[in-house]
Amino acid sequence: MISLTPKLEKESESPLYDQLYRYIRKQIEDGSLAVNDRLPSIRQLSAHLVVSKNTVEAAYQQLLSEGYLQSRPRSGIFVLPLEQVPEVEGKPGASVRQQSEKPLHESSLQGRVGTIDFEYGDVELELFPVKAWKRCLAEAMDNRLHEVIAYGDRQGHLGLREEIARYLFQSRGVACSSHQIFLSAGTAHAVSLLCQLLPLTERIAMEEPGYNGVRAVFANHGKDVVQIPLEEDGLSIEALQGCGANVVYVTPSHQFPIGIVMPVQKRGKLLQWAYEQGGYILEDDYDSEFRYQGQPIPALKALDRSDRVIYLGTFSKSFLPGARLSYVVLPESLADTYRNGLQNYSQSVSTLVQTAMYLFMRGGAFERHIRKMKNLYQSRHRALLRAIHDQLGSRVGIIGQKSGMHLLLDVYGRECEELIQLAAERGVQVYSPMKHWTNPAECPRSYVMLGFAGVQEEQIREGVSLLRQAWFE
Amino acid sequence: MISLTPKLEKESESPLYDQLYRYIRKQIEDGSLAVNDRLPSIRQLSAHLVVSKNTVEAAYQQLLSEGYLQSRPRSGIFVLPLEQVPEVEGKPGASVRQQSEKPLHESSLQGRVGTIDFEYGDVELELFPVKAWKRCLAEAMDNRLHEVIAYGDRQGHLGLREEIARYLFQSRGVACSSHQIFLSAGTAHAVSLLCQLLPLTERIAMEEPGYNGVRAVFANHGKDVVQIPLEEDGLSIEALQGCGANVVYVTPSHQFPIGIVMPVQKRGKLLQWAYEQGGYILEDDYDSEFRYQGQPIPALKALDRSDRVIYLGTFSKSFLPGARLSYVVLPESLADTYRNGLQNYSQSVSTLVQTAMYLFMRGGAFERHIRKMKNLYQSRHRALLRAIHDQLGSRVGIIGQKSGMHLLLDVYGRECEELIQLAAERGVQVYSPMKHWTNPAECPRSYVMLGFAGVQEEQIREGVSLLRQAWFE
């Protein structure tokens, strides 16, 4: 057995689990722990170090979720390879440009002329794991051709569903089985299928403002969408109680577009509401991988003791928008109804993509990728906050800066349209979040939206400097 | 023989097959059933447990489709390793087995345990152009990475839409521009989007019998589906005129499941109806590539002078079910409305698949593939007709034999369920077309459905010979 001998200091300000986490991470990074080394069990290590099992578990959990370790069923916990040097194909630093702005999962046709584009929904091309993904595609074609050609399981590739279940447990605390997971071709498609196959009530509540893509799907299925105003800590439970809906769509990990991270107390109240109503919560956890401040808060689904949460996840933000691969985790009580309805439908996600994604997750490449992107986006996020502070100072307020791939600026006393125009003249594209208000006129005129995931740090600094010139000089 | 001794509770809310399924799954998961253990035959187990064969078959089917079991031709049903899936690659003549029957574009859970499976929806694996398709995938990843990673055009890859327009003109006489073409992740998805984004009336007419997958989508969007009876030459225009709908879904090139090829005179009348109504025709041209007798008849869309036809096409039959790639050609007058609605949606087809398909069509490989498959299916079709004539003679009637990938047998004076059961006991799987009747009881009891696209000629002959033994000896 490998030996771990950290010096843990009980007097330190840093908690024991954190010291242990850092120690193991360092061992991996400097090669003292090699790829595929098996770690001691939680019990062994806690006995060895004379610390509680919780301490070891918390450290392991963190390392698992950051992709340093991998838990293999019936085998144990193993060291994963560290990311390789970024595989650059194409222009260094070129980010993936989409045809249009992408709020959450969807997109619209806004112009883009600038050289620096703070478009929400872009992902970074430079760090895309081209080689690893190509290997998975090739393996799927070479060794699993029968999976790739056929329609496939209508619920989605079983192995992939199992990998997703494992990932959700490790990264989001969501305990579910592959039986409850249903793949879909994007989140709009998932919500459409929920409307088609489940007996959801006609009236559905949403945060206001809230993600316009899902609002459109509800409306296009004849639903009566009720707006629930936001408070400091997320949607108003009081307004929800009085609204007559018993289904609500929320983005608790990172309210879209405002960016509120719903605290755990409010999560409890929301779950209580659903329980008392006999209703359901649609939890859209679209970018929860990217959190930069504060303690991790478990998904609503992880806190859901009475089986009232329908969880929506996607690979569009965390990995590959073009895969068109999202998923739903249904409460046990709804899974059979949904599966029955599905008897008349085929699975809509490309089977090649499903099989390749299964191989990509199974081999640990997905976790490594997430870890890499999290570091990258965190750096960009930090660079953006600093540039805004340095360049724009007290003339703007920042809204929703704890996580995700975008934030809002409140440019005090100014008008969005003018701001966008002035920025465009300097070659910088910024956007209005207006369309996420049911009545766009209620969006504060002084708000502009900046996505930063697809913009390099240097461009971020230059872009914000140009914004200062455009808006204040 | 291994012993299976579940406690099945007839009073339980959970159906017997589900109890049996869960029992066997658990035996596999906890190792009580080992890898490569052979399960008892359906007949043996149903006798042993004193349950119907249908119950055992349904449980086996579920386990097969979830990858717990594998059916090996002429050997039996075996336990698979938990992480592995069956590999048919390389075996000459192995057809792609799908998890379930696929009427038109969709699928259902019918049993498949036999050694010769006349399942509708199978495609032939042996002739799949693996190398050419891999080249297109590789070129997309190597030279068009930016297309492959991003969400992409919400209407679909422009180059691919242009290729489709060219193909439709050459092969179906349909003149349209890429502007009118919208890609979707399968036909059910296309029909769902039409329901969501176009102002179709609440009442929609369909052929009776007709494709149950699309009927389900209409119903799941709250549409009132009106059944229009079939005449010799296709749906009754008279009944259509009186039914109060101004939208009709039809399969004129090869009525599903009956197989009528609608003659050009009736096409004219149908178009006239739409023109007078100011209504629309949804033309599903799902397998028009494969026509074996008679003159080619242009698509309705090709005859559509007053812009009333919404054309549905798919690559699931002609190329690759797992691509999940279908398309809609809209009348000019509807294209803008649809495109506006689409502003809140992303494209749902994998961008990798779109780009690879574009390259595959552009290089001529698609047309070569179609030609090859048409020859192959024609040979199989001929072999099937001859075998039926030789073996079954005047004891059966053949329905819908001019084109496509399936036909119906009318086994005079007999009952479908018995016929399916007798065939299964000889290792031949045939199917009931019953579910395509709105009221399944109205389906003639003597009809069985045979798909032949995935069955080799020799197997076709052997299979029909076994049917004779099963049914008439």
Side-chain angles (χ1 to χ4, degrees):
Chain A
M1 194 179 85
I2 61 163
S3 131
L4 294 173
T5 52
K7 271 195 203 156
L8 300 180
E9 300 183 15
K10 304 210 176 188
E11 310 305 319
S12 158
E13 271 188 24
S14 163
L16 286 179
Y17 89 87
D18 190 57
Q19 295 177 48
L20 180 57
Y21 151 78
R22 282 169 200 283
Y23 170 81
I24 298 174
R25 194 181 67 176
K26 191 163 174 305
Q27 299 281 101
I28 295 171
E29 284 172 347
D30 69 22
S32 309
L33 282 173
V35 173
N36 286 324
D37 272 350
R38 177 175 160 178
L39 270 78
S41 74
I42 290 172
R43 195 148 46 102
Q44 289 167 333
L45 191 55
S46 81
H48 176 61
L49 299 179
V50 200
V51 296
S52 81
K53 285 182 205 157
N54 284 344
T55 298
V56 177
E57 187 173 358
Y60 277 14
Q61 193 55 46
Q62 190 66 25
L63 291 158
L64 285 163
S65 70
E66 291 182 6
Y68 287 94
L69 301 179
Q70 182 182 37
S71 167
R72 298 180 193 156
R74 296 185 195 81
S75 318
I77 295 173
F78 294 84
V79 176
L80 282 176
L82 278 180
E83 64 224 31
Q84 265 92 53
V85 189
E87 294 145 349
V88 187
E89 304 217 357
K91 280 186 235 148
S95 73
V96 178
R97 292 302 177 204
Q98 297 158 192
Q99 257 85 345
S100 48
E101 191 198 19
K102 300 290 177 298
L104 275 84
H105 325 277
E106 311 303 340
S107 48
S108 82
L109 278 175
Q110 290 216 28
R112 168 160 23 79
V113 185
T115 56
I116 298 176
D117 189 350
F118 288 102
E119 181 171 21
Y120 177 71
D122 277 359
V123 297
E124 179 55 51
L125 174 62
E126 193 185 354
L127 294 188
F128 185 79
V130 179
K131 280 187 194 156
W133 185 239
K134 279 177 71 175
R135 259 198 308 276
C136 294
L137 290 169
E139 190 182 333
M141 285 297 294
D142 291 341
N143 302 325
R144 293 166 174 271
L145 188 61
H146 61 289
E147 282 180 26
V148 165
I149 291 185
Y151 285 91
D153 186 324
R154 71 193 69 228
Q155 187 168 348
H157 187 285
L158 178 62
L160 176 55
R161 286 188 278 122
E162 284 171 349
E163 288 297 330
I164 291 171
R166 206 172 349 258
Y167 171 72
L168 285 178
F169 184 66
Q170 287 177 5
S171 72
R172 305 294 295 132
V174 173
C176 65
S177 81
S178 58
H179 192 74
Q180 294 165 264
I181 298 178
F182 297 80
L183 305 188
S184 66
T187 297
H189 184 239
V191 174
S192 169
L193 286 176
L194 293 172
C195 289
Q196 290 178 54
L197 304 181
L198 292 180
L200 301 182
T201 45
E202 283 312 289
R203 178 165 288 194
I204 292 185
M206 267 190 73
E207 299 156 330
E208 172 70 8
Y211 172 35
N212 76 326
V214 163
R215 191 190 298 117
V217 176
F218 285 139
N220 288 335
H221 284 80
K223 301 295 184 186
D224 171 21
V225 181
V226 193
Q227 286 80 47
I228 307 297
L230 293 177
E231 300 170 342
E232 284 276 296
D233 59 355
L235 86 174
S236 160
I237 303 290
E238 207 175 3
L240 184 62
Q241 276 160 342
C243 83
N246 78 349
V247 175
V248 64
Y249 167 87
V250 287
T251 47
S253 296
H254 191 222
Q255 203 280 333
F256 194 86
I258 297 295
I260 299 165
V261 179
M262 189 187 288
V264 73
Q265 297 80 357
K266 187 145 220 170
R267 290 176 191 234
K269 284 185 199 159
L270 186 55
L271 288 164
Q272 184 65 23
W273 168 85
Y275 175 65
E276 286 167 6
Q277 288 277 324
Y280 293 101
I281 300 165
L282 270 65
E283 175 182 30
D284 190 346
D285 210 30
Y286 63 103
D287 71 357
S288 62
E289 284 84 0
F290 307 118
R291 189 184 42 77
Y292 314 121
Q293 292 172 30
Q295 288 303 304
I297 297 178
L300 275 173
K301 184 73 190 158
L303 305 169
D304 175 26
R305 306 234 181 290
S306 48
D307 221 21
R308 313 310 305 176
V309 177
I310 298 170
Y311 179 94
L312 297 161
T314 181
F315 290 97
S316 296
K317 300 302 164 203
S318 57
F319 176 55
L320 182 57
R324 311 314 301 127
L325 178 53
S326 298
Y327 52 90
V328 173
V329 184
L330 286 181
E332 278 288 359
S333 58
L334 293 179
D336 285 343
T337 305
Y338 191 90
R339 202 174 355 260
N340 285 341
L342 219 52
Q343 290 310 311
N344 295 307
Y345 290 69
S346 290
Q347 174 54 237
S348 294
V349 179
S350 150
T351 48
L352 173 63
V353 169
Q354 291 184 60
T355 295
M357 194 68 207
Y358 160 63
L359 298 168
F360 191 73
M361 292 187 88
R362 195 188 60 170
F366 177 65
E367 277 164 293
R368 285 196 295 283
H369 180 67
I370 290 286
R371 191 172 71 225
K372 209 160 58 173
M373 298 318 282
K374 188 172 168 179
N375 285 337
L376 178 79
Y377 294 158
Q378 180 147 37
S379 301
R380 292 184 176 180
H381 176 258
R382 207 181 292 126
L384 179 60
L385 291 184
R386 170 156 303 180
I388 291 169
H389 178 265
D390 292 350
Q391 301 280 342
L392 309 180
S394 59
R395 290 172 287 200
V396 304
I398 304 176
I399 298 162
Q401 76 271 46
K402 285 186 179 171
S403 67
M405 301 157 87
H406 80 281
L407 50 73
L408 299 184
L409 282 188
D410 184 351
V411 189
Y412 301 132
R414 303 287 288 270
E415 295 268 327
C416 182
E417 278 157 36
E418 184 214 3
L419 293 166
I420 290 172
Q421 187 56 46
L422 288 171
E425 285 165 13
R426 300 274 180 160
V428 180
Q429 289 286 314
V430 294
Y431 296 87
S432 166
M434 192 181 295
K435 65 180 177 179
H436 301 291
W437 272 257
T438 307
N439 176 4
E442 287 172 12
C443 172
R445 311 297 296 168
S446 55
Y447 281 13
V448 294
M449 183 162 170
L450 277 69
F452 56 82
V455 195
Q456 287 186 293
E457 278 185 54
E458 200 177 318
Q459 284 187 303
I460 287 173
R461 283 189 286 270
E462 192 191 332
V464 176
S465 168
L466 287 167
L467 290 180
R468 178 179 51 76
Q469 295 169 36
W471 293 346
F472 302 116
E473 286 177 9
Chain B
M1 194 178 84
I2 61 163
S3 130
L4 294 174
T5 53
K7 271 196 204 153
L8 300 180
E9 300 183 16
K10 304 210 176 189
E11 310 305 320
S12 161
E13 274 184 28
S14 163
L16 284 179
Y17 88 87
D18 189 54
Q19 296 178 47
L20 181 57
Y21 153 75
R22 284 171 197 280
Y23 170 80
I24 299 175
R25 193 180 70 177
K26 191 164 174 304
Q27 300 282 102
I28 295 172
E29 285 173 346
D30 67 22
S32 308
L33 281 173
V35 173
N36 286 324
D37 272 354
R38 176 173 162 182
L39 270 77
S41 74
I42 290 173
R43 200 145 43 101
Q44 289 168 333
L45 191 55
S46 80
H48 175 61
L49 299 178
V50 200
V51 296
S52 80
K53 287 181 201 157
N54 283 344
T55 298
V56 178
E57 187 176 337
Y60 277 10
Q61 182 53 40
Q62 187 66 23
L63 292 158
L64 285 162
S65 71
E66 292 182 2
Y68 287 94
L69 301 178
Q70 183 181 36
S71 168
R72 298 180 193 155
R74 297 183 192 78
S75 319
I77 296 173
F78 294 85
V79 175
L80 280 178
L82 279 181
E83 291 250 328
Q84 196 184 312
V85 274
E87 318 238 331
V88 288
E89 226 226 340
K91 280 193 219 145
S95 74
V96 178
R97 292 307 179 199
Q98 296 159 188
Q99 259 84 349
S100 46
E101 192 200 17
K102 300 292 178 297
L104 274 83
H105 326 275
E106 311 303 342
S107 48
S108 82
L109 274 177
Q110 288 217 34
R112 171 171 17 86
V113 185
T115 59
I116 297 176
D117 190 350
F118 289 101
E119 181 170 20
Y120 177 71
D122 276 1
V123 297
E124 178 55 52
L125 174 61
E126 194 184 355
L127 293 189
F128 185 79
V130 178
K131 278 186 196 158
W133 184 239
K134 279 177 72 175
R135 259 198 309 276
C136 294
L137 291 168
E139 190 183 332
M141 285 297 294
D142 292 341
N143 302 327
R144 295 169 173 268
L145 188 62
H146 60 289
E147 282 178 27
V148 164
I149 291 185
Y151 285 90
D153 186 325
R154 70 193 67 228
Q155 188 168 347
H157 188 284
L158 178 62
L160 176 55
R161 286 187 280 122
E162 284 170 351
E163 288 296 330
I164 290 171
R166 202 168 358 255
Y167 171 72
L168 285 179
F169 184 66
Q170 286 172 5
S171 72
R172 306 292 297 132
V174 173
C176 65
S177 81
S178 59
H179 191 74
Q180 294 165 265
I181 298 178
F182 296 80
L183 305 187
S184 67
T187 296
H189 183 239
V191 174
S192 170
L193 286 177
L194 293 173
C195 290
Q196 290 178 53
L197 303 181
L198 292 181
L200 302 182
T201 44
E202 283 312 289
R203 179 166 288 194
I204 292 184
M206 266 190 74
E207 298 155 331
E208 172 71 7
Y211 173 34
N212 76 326
V214 163
R215 191 192 296 119
V217 176
F218 285 140
N220 289 335
H221 284 81
K223 300 295 183 187
D224 172 20
V225 182
V226 193
Q227 286 81 45
I228 308 296
L230 292 177
E231 301 169 342
E232 284 277 299
D233 58 354
L235 86 173
S236 159
I237 303 289
E238 205 176 2
L240 184 61
Q241 277 161 341
C243 83
N246 78 348
V247 175
V248 64
Y249 167 87
V250 286
T251 46
S253 296
H254 191 221
Q255 203 281 333
F256 194 86
I258 297 295
I260 299 165
V261 179
M262 189 187 288
V264 73
Q265 297 80 357
K266 186 145 220 170
R267 289 177 192 234
K269 284 185 199 161
L270 186 55
L271 288 164
Q272 184 64 24
W273 167 85
Y275 175 66
E276 284 167 7
Q277 287 275 325
Y280 293 100
I281 300 165
L282 270 64
E283 175 183 30
D284 189 346
D285 210 31
Y286 63 104
D287 70 358
S288 62
E289 285 83 2
F290 307 118
R291 190 182 42 75
Y292 315 120
Q293 292 171 30
Q295 288 304 304
I297 298 178
L300 275 172
K301 183 74 190 158
L303 305 169
D304 176 26
R305 307 234 182 287
S306 49
D307 222 21
R308 313 311 304 176
V309 177
I310 299 170
Y311 179 94
L312 297 161
T314 180
F315 291 96
S316 295
K317 300 301 166 204
S318 56
F319 177 54
L320 182 57
R324 313 312 303 124
L325 178 53
S326 298
Y327 52 90
V328 173
V329 184
L330 287 182
E332 277 290 357
S333 58
L334 292 178
D336 284 343
T337 305
Y338 190 90
R339 205 177 350 263
N340 284 341
L342 218 54
Q343 290 310 311
N344 294 309
Y345 291 69
S346 290
Q347 175 51 239
S348 294
V349 179
S350 151
T351 48
L352 173 62
V353 169
Q354 291 183 61
T355 296
M357 195 67 208
Y358 159 63
L359 298 169
F360 191 72
M361 292 186 89
R362 194 189 59 172
F366 177 65
E367 274 162 293
R368 283 195 296 281
H369 179 67
I370 290 285
R371 267 201 307 277
K372 206 162 61 175
M373 299 317 282
K374 189 173 168 178
N375 285 337
L376 179 78
Y377 294 158
Q378 180 147 35
S379 302
R380 291 184 176 180
H381 177 258
R382 205 181 292 126
L384 179 59
L385 291 184
R386 170 157 301 181
I388 291 170
H389 178 265
D390 292 350
Q391 300 281 341
L392 310 179
S394 59
R395 288 170 291 198
V396 304
I398 303 176
I399 299 163
Q401 75 270 44
K402 286 188 180 170
S403 68
M405 301 157 87
H406 79 283
L407 49 73
L408 300 184
L409 283 187
D410 183 351
V411 189
Y412 302 133
R414 303 287 288 271
E415 294 269 326
C416 182
E417 278 158 35
E418 185 214 3
L419 294 167
I420 290 172
Q421 187 56 50
L422 288 171
E425 285 166 13
R426 301 275 180 160
V428 180
Q429 290 286 314
V430 295
Y431 297 87
S432 167
M434 193 181 296
K435 65 181 176 178
H436 301 291
W437 271 257
T438 306
N439 176 5
E442 287 172 14
C443 172
R445 311 297 296 167
S446 54
Y447 281 13
V448 294
M449 181 162 169
L450 276 69
F452 55 82
V455 194
Q456 288 186 292
E457 280 185 53
E458 199 178 319
Q459 284 186 306
I460 287 173
R461 283 189 286 270
E462 190 190 335
V464 176
S465 168
L466 288 167
L467 289 179
R468 178 180 49 75
Q469 295 168 36
W471 293 346
F472 302 115
E473 288 178 8

